Amino acid sequence: MTSLWQTLRTGLLTRSLEKLFRLPAWAPGWPLLRPEGLSPAVRRELLELCPSAAFAEEGGEFRVNLAQCVLCGRCFRAHPQAVGELRTLEVAVTRREDLVQRVDLTTGSFVEPTPPPPTRAELHLPTLAFREVSAGNTGLDDTEVALAGNPFHDMSRFGFSVVASPRHADALLVTGPVSQNMREALWRTYQATPEPKGVVAVGNEAIGGEIFAESAAVVGGVDKVVPVDVYVPGSPARPASILHGLLLLSGQTQQVLVGGRLHEERTQVVSSEAGVEASSRRAERGEEHG
């Protein structure tokens, strides 16, 4: 009776996607370039100010790479006329270039990218089992992956589950820059995962290596070893962003960032198709690997 009373007092902890994807008021957002404020002096200061070298200027373009941003907030606090805030956690993308904002300094406008490719239809399943692989990260992104399964985020309500073996998985969640010592292990894990299979690179380190990119002990981002379907930026990636990446991979939502900026048409999570295909695949794997 005491347990029941405590449950009723606590109430429902699981948050809606709308609340999960909303960045808390106290947290800095992602940088959002404002072309009209990018004077030569401001550009020089931004290049010197950023601790993670997220800004770059070359080929007549000024860029900011969200996969190198650590969300310190220094840029938009120092130069609000040139850098605004992108306040969303729906930041998972299917290609790395959609994490880069590019401003043509000649025209003073954004370089418009082509539409992003959709995720593969064969992975659009009502349930998705994944195996996490730590390929050499600091442990921060691993913690965030674990938090995606807590009562507040509850990834299981969308059909996502963790499995112990890649032979039972639909996808791999890979964290950290791939170290030289983990390169072979990651490749073997990928090979052991049955087709069709997906790969999600979780965190800035997994996308491009971040501060470890130039280390001799590091191969680089995950896509230098295995093909990647979805990239989830962050330092570390937040649980809600990881959840958005899984929803994107499974076809339950669409990409929001295009060219590092919010797409005009924001999409909502859609219901999955019937689970006949997924169930048959699970049964086949049970017969093969049981």
Side-chain angles (χ1 to χ4, degrees):
M1 191 66 182
T2 303
S3 300
L4 176 60
W5 175 243
Q6 183 63 41
T7 301
L8 293 174
R9 286 182 56 189
T10 302
L12 182 65
L13 295 179
T14 304
R15 297 169 183 169
S16 66
L17 282 177
E18 181 182 359
K19 291 183 178 179
L20 287 178
F21 291 153
R22 190 183 306 149
L23 198 64
W26 50 265
W30 306 87
L32 179 62
L33 294 178
R34 291 173 172 165
E36 66 277 6
L38 293 173
S39 66
V42 168
R43 299 200 304 268
R44 285 194 299 270
E45 290 186 27
L46 288 174
L47 292 172
E48 296 175 358
L49 181 65
C50 183
S52 57
F55 294 96
E57 182 174 347
E58 61 177 333
E61 293 182 357
F62 191 76
R63 308 170 184 170
V64 59
N65 188 346
L66 302 186
Q68 290 181 235
C69 176
V70 294
L71 281 82
C72 66
R74 295 181 184 180
C75 53
F76 53 76
R77 291 193 186 104
H79 299 285
Q81 79 283 10
V83 185
E85 280 189 84
L86 183 64
R87 302 193 60 81
T88 181
L89 293 175
E90 296 176 89
V91 291
V93 297
T94 57
R95 58 183 181 182
R96 288 179 62 171
E97 51 262 44
D98 280 322
L99 295 174
V100 181
Q101 297 169 24
R102 301 164 55 200
V103 172
D104 188 322
L105 296 176
T106 303
T107 62
S109 59
F110 283 105
V111 177
E112 296 297 337
T114 57
T119 51
R120 290 179 290 147
E122 58 265 32
L123 292 172
H124 293 178
L125 304 171
T127 61
L128 196 73
F130 67 87
R131 172 76 170 112
E132 187 197 351
V133 181
S134 179
N137 79 324
T138 57
L140 294 176
D141 290 295
D142 295 328
T143 302
E144 301 299 305
V145 171
L147 290 176
N150 68 17
F152 295 102
H153 299 88
D154 190 18
M155 65 180 180
S156 63
R157 60 181 154 151
F158 301 106
F160 305 135
S161 61
V162 183
V163 292
S165 170
R167 299 187 186 279
H168 302 155
D170 300 303
L172 300 178
L173 256 65
V174 188
T175 61
V178 183
S179 67
Q180 296 288 356
N181 290 339
M182 280 296 295
R183 180 175 190 166
E184 182 66 21
L186 175 59
W187 175 248
R188 290 187 180 185
T189 303
Y190 178 78
Q191 290 292 91
T193 308
E195 294 285 357
K197 54 195 170 190
V199 176
V200 180
V202 178
N204 291 353
E205 295 174 2
I207 295 174
E210 208 181 44
I211 61 173
F212 303 104
E214 304 300 324
S215 171
V218 168
V219 177
V222 175
D223 57 11
K224 288 191 175 182
V225 180
V226 297
V228 172
D229 294 273
V230 174
Y231 300 87
V232 183
S235 186
R238 297 185 61 131
S241 297
I242 297 170
L243 183 58
H244 180 246
L246 291 172
L247 290 168
L248 181 59
L249 181 69
S250 62
Q252 298 184 60
T253 191
Q254 295 181 10
Q255 184 171 316
V256 172
L257 285 188
V258 180
R261 297 175 293 141
L262 288 179
H263 195 260
E264 291 182 0
E265 296 181 2
R266 301 186 58 114
T267 55
Q268 301 295 325
V269 173
V270 297
S271 59
S272 300
E273 297 175 355
V276 176
E277 182 181 352
S279 299
S280 61
R281 287 179 58 195
R282 299 270 193 272
E284 290 174 0
R285 290 177 186 177
E287 291 173 3
E288 294 175 3
H289 309 294

